């Protein structure tokens, strides 16, 4: 099995020998760390979203090679395969669009509603019932997979960011996320509420992940060089693991006993969940920080320790064995403790114990009161009373009765049974057979001993026809009532629509009148301005007329003086 890790390149290391098997360089236009890695359900393909460029699907069958490039989707930011099929992959873009791509037809199959900010995380809940998308603004959008519409919007409490987002592999209603403020929270999407939240780290949260075998355990890592484990049911912190460098990525391995951590110095550390003191494996995977890390899915029916199958068996076995509620809680606590250092046995030994533990014999009374009332006594049928056999897997009723075709029913005794003695030996009350009403059918005569005589077919037809006529009348009455009810409702809806139309029309008229008033006020202002300009121009013209009159007067005075001077000179 491979552990896929990425910085600017993607490397595949074998586990547990830690040997480098393949190295793949994505076709990125700008060098940078990969944005997303996602395996198919069988581990044959890996979806890679480079730092810049088109998303790619790499095949590892035989050798590492590009199987398909998603040229139809521009500027992808993240991608994730569905859990139940390898045909569809969800791709988030920097434009806020989530697309469902069909790998077989090599085309876009569906489009989810667009959001306001860039998509940074995308994935599917268990059973592929919903598709979730996390944005750079800190919002989480949940889309219905069938209707392709928005189901709800979530947000990390007391935070405006989103650094990690994961869904549980089996619990379809659990989502976990982290933020730059160091907050880790878990949502129950069935009720759209926060189930668990805590200030987990003093630095931004780099990764969060659910335990694949215990839905109440969440593991988180932060940039404060600490990895913590929380129990969301008891709302408590179980364990704290100090590490030598910041852990940027987490993932459980397939056996669910080991967890892989990608660090900032390019190393991958693998810890045993039963003892977190030191890593059991540690190797240098990249020269740069390990931004993403994911373990290869591998489906094999013969593998008994498959995490998903085993966890489902753990949850279903208590119900099949009719265990009490306290026993189920004890098994759950035991499973929690054995994963985090308190026990060293295999996590699936609990299942083996349930299967191998013999169940106690059930003391079942072989007599049935109903059979006794009909004189079908078990002791008379079988001769010898054998102990009841119980299946060790599921509690079943005793199987010591012979087949029905071997029963030899006895005749009903003439003397009535004693009710008191019968009640003591059985759970069903027994009454004398003579107290029963003999004529149970109105169409059977009581004068003859045989029930098949004196049957009038005309009476039967008449009774059937009368019953059918009654039923037809009831149906017609119900039809008329439903018709009247529908007519009344239609009339009410019509009235409501007319009232709504009338109120809308009135509001439209009010708005139009208001707009006309505003328009009139706006048109009055230029008129006043124009009149003021005219008054000013009139004043200037009057002033100029007065000046011209003065000038004319002065000119006429000068002309008069010139005419008078020659006359004075002549007189002299």
């Amino acid at each position: 099995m491979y552990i896929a890790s990425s910085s600017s390149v993607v490397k595949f290391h074998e586990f547990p020998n830690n040997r480098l098997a393949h190295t793949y360089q994505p076709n990125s236009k700008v060098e940078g760390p990969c944005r997303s890695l996602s395996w198919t359900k069988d581990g044959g393909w890996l979806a890679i979203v480079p730092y810049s460029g088109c998303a790619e699907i790499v095949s590892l069958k035989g050798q590492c090679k590009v199987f398909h490039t998603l040229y139809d989707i521009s500027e992808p930011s993240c991608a994730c395969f569905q859990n139940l099929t390898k045909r569809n992959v969800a791709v988030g873009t920097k434009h806020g669009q989530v697309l469902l791509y069909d790998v077989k037809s090599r085309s876009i199959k569906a489009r989810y509603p667009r959001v306001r900010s860039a998509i940074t995380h995308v994935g599917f809940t268990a059973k592929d019932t919903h598709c979730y998308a996390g944005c750079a603004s800190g919002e989480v959008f949940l889309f219905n997979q069938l209707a392709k519409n928005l189901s709800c919007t979530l947000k990390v409490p007391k935070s405006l960011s989103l650094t990690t987002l994961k869904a549980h592999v089996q619990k379809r209603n659990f989502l976990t996320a982290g933020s730059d403020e160091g907050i880790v929270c878990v949502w129950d999407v069935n009720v759209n509420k926060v189930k668990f939240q805590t200030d987990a780290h003093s630095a931004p949260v780099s990764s969060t992940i659910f335990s694949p075998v215990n839905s109440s355990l969440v593991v988180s890592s932060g940039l404060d060089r600490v990895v913590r484990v929380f129990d969301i049911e008891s709302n408590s912190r179980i364990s704290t693991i100090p590490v030598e460098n910041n852990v940027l990525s987490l993932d459980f391995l397939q056996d669910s006993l080991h967890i892989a951590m990608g660090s900032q110095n390019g190393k991958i550390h693998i810890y045993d969940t039963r003892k977190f003191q030191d890593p059991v494996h540690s190797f240098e995977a990249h020269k740069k920080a390990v931004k993403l890390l994911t373990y290869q899915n591998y489906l094999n029916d013969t593998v008994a320790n498959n995490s998903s199958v085993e966890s489902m068996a753990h949850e279903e076995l208590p119900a099949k064995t009719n265990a009490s509620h306290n026993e189920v809680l004890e098994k759950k606590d035991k499973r929690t403790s054995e994963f985090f250092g308190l026990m060293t046995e295999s996590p699936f030994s609990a299942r083996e114990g349930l299967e191998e533990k013999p169940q106690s014999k059930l003391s079942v009374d072989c007599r049935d009161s109903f059979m006794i009332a009909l004189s079908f006594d078990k002791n008379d049928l079988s001769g010898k009373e054998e102990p009841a056999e119980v299946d060790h897997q599921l509690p079943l009723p005793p199987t010591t009765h012979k087949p029905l075709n071997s029963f030899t029913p006895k005749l009903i005794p003439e003397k009535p049974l004693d009710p008191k003695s019968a009640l003591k030996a059985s759970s069903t009350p027994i009454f004398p057979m003579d107290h029963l009403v003999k004529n149970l059918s109105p169409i059977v005569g009581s004068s003859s001993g045989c029930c098949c005589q004196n049957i009038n077919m005309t009476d039967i037809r008449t009774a059937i026809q009368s019953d059918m006529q009654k039923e037809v009348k009831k149906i017609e009455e119900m039809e008329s009532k439903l018709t009247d009810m529908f007519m009344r409702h239609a009339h009410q809806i019509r009235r409501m629509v007319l009232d709504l139309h009338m109120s809308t029309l009135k509001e439209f008229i009010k708005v139009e009148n208001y707009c006309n008033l505003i328009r009139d006020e706006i048109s009055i202002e230029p008129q006043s301005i124009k009149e003021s300009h005219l008054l000013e121009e009139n004043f200037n013209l009057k002033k100029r007329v007065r000046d011209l009159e003065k000038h004319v007067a002065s000119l006429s005075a000068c002309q008069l003086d010139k005419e008078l001077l020659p006359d004075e000179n002549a007189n002299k």
Side-chain angles (χ1 to χ4, degrees):
M1 293 300 99
Y2 294 139
I3 298 176
S5 60
S6 70
S7 55
S8 58
V9 298
V10 181
K11 293 185 178 182
F12 302 89
H13 290 83
E14 293 181 354
F15 179 80
N17 57 14
N18 305 330
R19 184 180 68 85
L20 180 62
H22 304 286
T23 301
Y24 177 73
Q25 177 66 52
N27 296 323
S28 179
K29 297 179 181 179
V30 180
E31 184 178 359
C34 295
R35 298 181 181 272
S36 177
L37 297 178
S38 177
W39 288 102
T40 55
K41 66 171 186 176
D42 59 353
W45 299 341
L46 180 69
I48 302 174
V49 178
Y51 184 77
S52 177
C54 297
E56 300 172 342
I57 298 177
V58 177
S59 175
L60 293 179
K61 294 181 179 179
Q63 59 182 354
C64 182
K65 58 182 179 180
V66 179
F67 172 73
H68 179 54
T69 303
L70 281 63
Y71 292 108
D72 296 341
I73 302 176
S74 61
E75 297 189 7
S77 57
C78 51
C80 181
F81 278 102
Q82 286 186 331
N83 298 317
L84 302 180
T85 177
K86 59 187 294 185
R87 178 171 180 173
N88 300 324
V89 56
V91 182
T93 65
K94 300 177 184 178
H95 306 296
Q97 184 74 57
V98 179
L99 307 171
L100 189 64
Y101 190 85
D102 192 335
V103 179
K104 184 176 181 180
S105 63
R106 300 195 175 187
S107 61
I108 297 175
K109 185 177 182 179
R111 298 175 183 267
Y112 297 95
R114 186 184 295 271
V115 298
R116 293 185 295 272
S117 57
I119 304 295
T120 57
H121 303 82
V122 70
F124 293 93
T125 58
K127 311 300 181 183
D128 296 335
T129 57
H130 291 81
C131 174
Y132 62 86
C135 300
S137 61
E139 294 178 312
V140 178
F141 299 94
L142 195 67
F143 303 104
N144 188 290
Q145 184 63 12
L146 295 177
K148 302 296 186 295
N149 57 0
L150 181 64
S151 296
C152 65
T153 303
L154 308 172
K155 198 171 182 66
V156 179
K158 297 184 281 188
S159 178
L160 298 175
S161 60
L162 184 70
T163 57
T164 176
L165 182 63
K166 285 284 186 178
H168 198 277
V169 294
Q170 294 172 21
K171 293 288 185 179
R172 67 182 69 184
N173 58 321
F174 281 176
L175 284 177
T176 180
S179 66
D180 285 332
E181 290 78 10
I183 299 174
V184 173
C185 74
V186 177
W187 293 289
D188 188 348
V189 298
N190 285 344
V191 293
N192 297 340
K193 289 184 180 180
V194 176
K195 183 177 179 63
F196 170 80
Q197 73 174 78
T198 181
D199 295 330
H201 300 275
S202 59
V205 179
S206 58
S207 180
T208 58
I209 188 172
F210 282 103
S211 170
V213 295
N214 193 341
S215 60
S216 62
L217 298 182
V218 176
V219 184
S220 68
S221 63
L223 300 184
D224 53 356
R225 298 188 177 184
V226 171
V227 177
R228 289 191 169 95
V229 183
F230 299 94
D231 190 341
I232 63 176
E233 295 295 338
S234 61
N235 198 12
S236 61
R237 185 174 63 194
I238 296 177
S239 178
T240 300
I241 306 104
V243 291
E244 63 179 7
N245 210 313
N246 291 331
V247 174
L248 304 182
S249 53
L250 297 169
D251 195 15
F252 273 95
L253 272 62
Q254 188 173 3
D255 58 2
S256 304
L257 289 176
H258 297 84
I259 183 171
M261 303 180 184
S263 61
Q264 194 171 7
N265 58 2
K267 292 184 178 180
I268 295 178
H269 305 284
I270 299 176
Y271 285 81
D272 191 337
T273 56
R274 296 167 292 185
K275 46 182 180 179
F276 270 119
Q277 288 79 9
D278 296 313
V280 294
H281 298 280
S282 182
F283 57 93
E284 184 175 356
H286 298 268
K287 296 181 180 180
K288 299 179 181 179
V290 181
K291 301 289 289 184
L292 300 172
L293 183 147
T294 178
Y295 189 73
Q296 183 184 21
N297 301 324
Y298 181 69
L299 298 180
N300 189 354
D301 297 336
T302 62
V303 178
N305 60 349
N306 188 304
S307 61
S308 61
V309 176
E310 291 296 332
S311 59
M312 292 174 66
H314 275 293
E315 294 179 1
E316 294 178 358
L317 272 176
K320 290 184 178 180
T321 55
N322 294 329
S324 63
H325 181 64
N326 295 330
E327 293 176 353
V328 175
L329 292 178
E330 290 176 0
K331 292 181 180 62
K332 184 177 180 181
D333 294 339
K334 179 179 179 181
R335 185 172 57 194
T336 302
S337 61
E338 68 192 5
F339 272 97
F340 294 95
L342 301 181
M343 296 183 67
T344 57
E345 60 182 337
S346 175
F348 307 123
S349 60
R351 181 189 177 191
E352 296 171 359
L354 285 174
E355 293 178 349
E356 295 175 1
K357 182 179 179 181
Q359 295 188 2
S360 60
K361 298 288 185 178
L362 298 179
S363 59
V364 182
D365 189 2
C366 295
R367 292 177 297 176
D368 191 344
S369 60
F370 182 72
M371 299 296 290
I372 293 173
L374 297 179
S375 296
F376 290 101
D377 192 358
K378 181 183 184 301
N379 296 328
D380 295 336
L381 295 175
S382 59
K384 295 183 180 181
E385 185 173 351
E386 299 177 359
E389 297 180 0
V390 183
D391 190 11
H392 292 290
Q393 295 183 356
L394 292 177
L396 296 175
T399 58
T400 57
H401 289 291
K402 291 185 177 181
L404 292 177
N405 54 11
S406 65
F407 284 178
T408 307
K410 297 172 64 178
L411 296 176
I412 299 175
E414 296 179 358
K415 294 183 180 181
L417 295 175
D418 187 7
K420 295 183 179 179
S421 61
L423 285 173
K424 292 180 180 179
S426 62
S427 60
T428 305
I430 302 176
F431 298 96
M433 301 301 294
D434 292 343
H435 293 177
L436 298 176
V437 180
K438 295 181 180 179
N439 296 331
L440 299 178
S441 177
I443 62 175
V444 179
S446 60
S447 60
S448 177
C450 182
C451 62
C452 298
Q453 297 177 0
N454 298 330
I455 299 177
N456 192 352
M457 299 303 296
T458 306
D459 296 339
I460 295 176
R461 294 192 188 95
T462 305
I464 293 174
Q465 290 178 359
S466 62
D467 292 339
M468 291 181 62
Q469 290 176 359
K470 290 179 182 179
E471 294 297 330
V472 170
K473 287 181 180 179
K474 290 181 181 179
I475 293 173
E476 290 177 352
E477 291 177 358
M478 186 179 296
E479 183 181 0
S480 62
K481 289 181 180 179
L482 290 175
T483 304
D484 295 340
M485 184 179 64
F486 289 152
M487 292 297 292
R488 287 198 303 271
H489 289 175
H491 180 67
Q492 292 177 359
I493 293 172
R494 186 162 51 250
R495 284 186 58 188
M496 292 172 64
V497 171
L498 291 175
D499 294 340
L500 179 62
H501 182 69
M502 185 62 66
S503 60
T504 306
L505 185 60
K506 289 181 180 179
E507 292 296 327
F508 177 76
I509 293 172
K510 288 181 181 179
V511 171
E512 187 176 7
N513 293 334
Y514 184 70
C515 292
N516 291 333
L517 291 175
I518 295 175
R519 191 181 297 108
D520 294 339
E521 291 178 359
I522 294 174
S523 62
I524 288 171
E525 185 176 359
Q527 185 68 23
S528 59
I529 294 173
K530 186 176 180 180
E531 291 179 355
S532 62
H533 286 302
L534 290 174
L535 291 174
E536 186 177 359
E537 187 176 359
N538 190 13
F539 176 76
N540 292 331
L541 289 174
K542 287 182 179 179
K543 185 177 179 181
R544 188 173 181 182
V545 167
R546 285 197 298 270
D547 293 339
L548 290 174
E549 289 178 351
K550 290 180 180 179
H551 185 64
V552 169
S554 62
L555 289 176
S556 60
C558 292
Q559 185 67 26
L560 183 60
D561 291 339
K562 288 180 181 180
E563 290 178 355
L564 292 175
L565 284 176
D567 294 338
E568 290 178 358
N569 292 331
N571 292 331
K572 290 178 180 181

